[in-house]
Amino acid sequence: MTSFSLDALRDRASRGARRTARAASVPVLMAIQPLIPATKRRTYTWSTPTASEVVANYTRGLVLFGRPGARRVKFEWRSFPMRAVMTKQTARVPKRLRGIQRRGELEVRFDQDFEAIIRACQEGRAGWMWITPALIDVYRELRSLGFVSTVGTYRDGQLVGGLWGIGIGGAFGLMSMFHRENHAGSLAMAALVNAVLTEGRWSVIDVGAMTANFARYGATEIPVAEFCELLHSSAG
């Protein structure tokens, strides 16, 4: 995992924000947000965010989304008042899934096939699709710097499920997941949880919004300010 300094990232992001402000006549939200928003909100950005801006903003509770069909404003930052997280103290693999894991029918691989996994997350989605080509380009750059990780599940060498997300220090922020057969996505999630419980690679999993499915894995909701403190402590 790439090491980094939050202060250095913010300095770089601040310089980028100043350059953007001079080039555009509209306000752009960048990494130096003075306060963490207390409510769910969206802020559009006219420029393509840099890797340092995405990382620094994420530590402030902001997540970058693509805007499908947009001609000029191709990205937006989203903030949420609450975040669902799993830690070593809360994370667990559901009992039924542990039995499926023991059967060993699917192979699990970390940090392989990024392109295939992120594009598979675009498949079969009805309605709004936020994983746009422009967004993939941004996260491809983050991956080249070591800030994106993947978990894939394979049957006979063929990708059948997986997930990807942003990795910062000891925190993993789940961005999207998919499956092409039963339990393929769940086994990827279980492998991610096991990485927290036994391997020590990560100490926090951020799954964004709480769902009944994530609750099965031990996710609990915390305020965004507490989430940001958790990110900073995991990066130490």
Side-chain angles (χ1 to χ4, degrees):
M1 180 66 65
T2 302
S3 61
F4 70 99
S5 161
L6 289 175
D7 290 337
L9 285 170
R10 291 196 187 98
D11 288 344
R12 289 174 60 188
S14 179
R15 291 194 295 272
R18 289 195 293 269
R19 288 195 298 271
T20 302
R22 289 194 295 269
S25 60
V26 295
V28 178
L29 176 66
M30 301 311 251
I32 311 305
Q33 175 97 349
L35 294 174
I36 298 168
T39 58
K40 183 176 180 179
R41 57 177 292 184
R42 304 179 185 183
T43 306
Y44 302 129
T45 174
W46 288 58
S47 62
T48 299
T50 65
S52 61
E53 289 162 358
V54 175
V55 171
N57 268 355
Y58 182 78
T59 67
R60 289 182 172 267
L62 301 167
V63 182
L64 183 68
F65 285 76
R67 302 187 67 238
R71 299 180 62 182
R72 296 182 64 189
V73 184
K74 296 184 177 181
F75 304 95
E76 63 184 56
W77 297 103
R78 288 194 176 191
S79 58
F80 307 86
M82 303 291 289
R83 294 291 269 271
V85 301
M86 306 166 197
T87 66
K88 191 168 185 177
Q89 290 71 38
T90 67
R92 61 179 180 268
V93 176
K95 183 177 179 179
R96 181 167 177 268
L97 196 54
R98 292 198 297 270
I100 298 172
Q101 279 184 305
R102 286 193 292 269
R103 294 206 298 264
E105 295 178 2
L106 299 183
E107 178 188 1
V108 177
R109 303 177 191 172
F110 284 80
D111 299 319
Q112 294 187 31
D113 297 320
F114 166 76
E115 295 289 340
I117 288 174
I118 196 170
R119 293 188 185 282
C121 288
Q122 295 177 302
E123 297 174 359
R125 307 279 179 165
W128 188 70
M129 168 40 63
W130 59 273
I131 305 176
T132 61
L135 188 82
I136 291 175
D137 288 342
V138 172
Y139 280 99
R140 186 181 291 118
E141 180 186 1
L142 263 77
R143 179 177 178 272
S144 72
L145 297 173
F147 290 114
V148 168
S149 291
T150 62
V151 185
T153 53
Y154 299 78
R155 183 180 295 280
D156 300 325
Q158 299 298 310
L159 181 68
V160 293
L163 56 85
W164 68 279
I166 184 169
I168 301 176
F172 180 92
L174 177 64
M175 297 296 291
S176 189
M177 57 193 303
F178 80 100
H179 68 276
R180 291 172 176 153
E181 63 175 66
N182 288 341
H183 310 303
S186 297
L187 287 172
M189 189 71 203
L192 182 63
V193 168
N194 281 338
V196 169
L197 292 174
T198 63
E199 298 174 18
R201 178 176 180 180
W202 296 293
S203 58
V204 179
I205 302 171
D206 163 34
V207 295
M210 175 64 85
T211 66
N213 180 52
F214 290 141
R216 294 192 309 133
Y217 295 90
T220 59
E221 277 192 314
I222 60 175
V224 66
E226 185 178 337
F227 165 73
C228 294
E229 289 297 324
L230 192 60
L231 284 183
H232 282 263
S233 64
S234 73

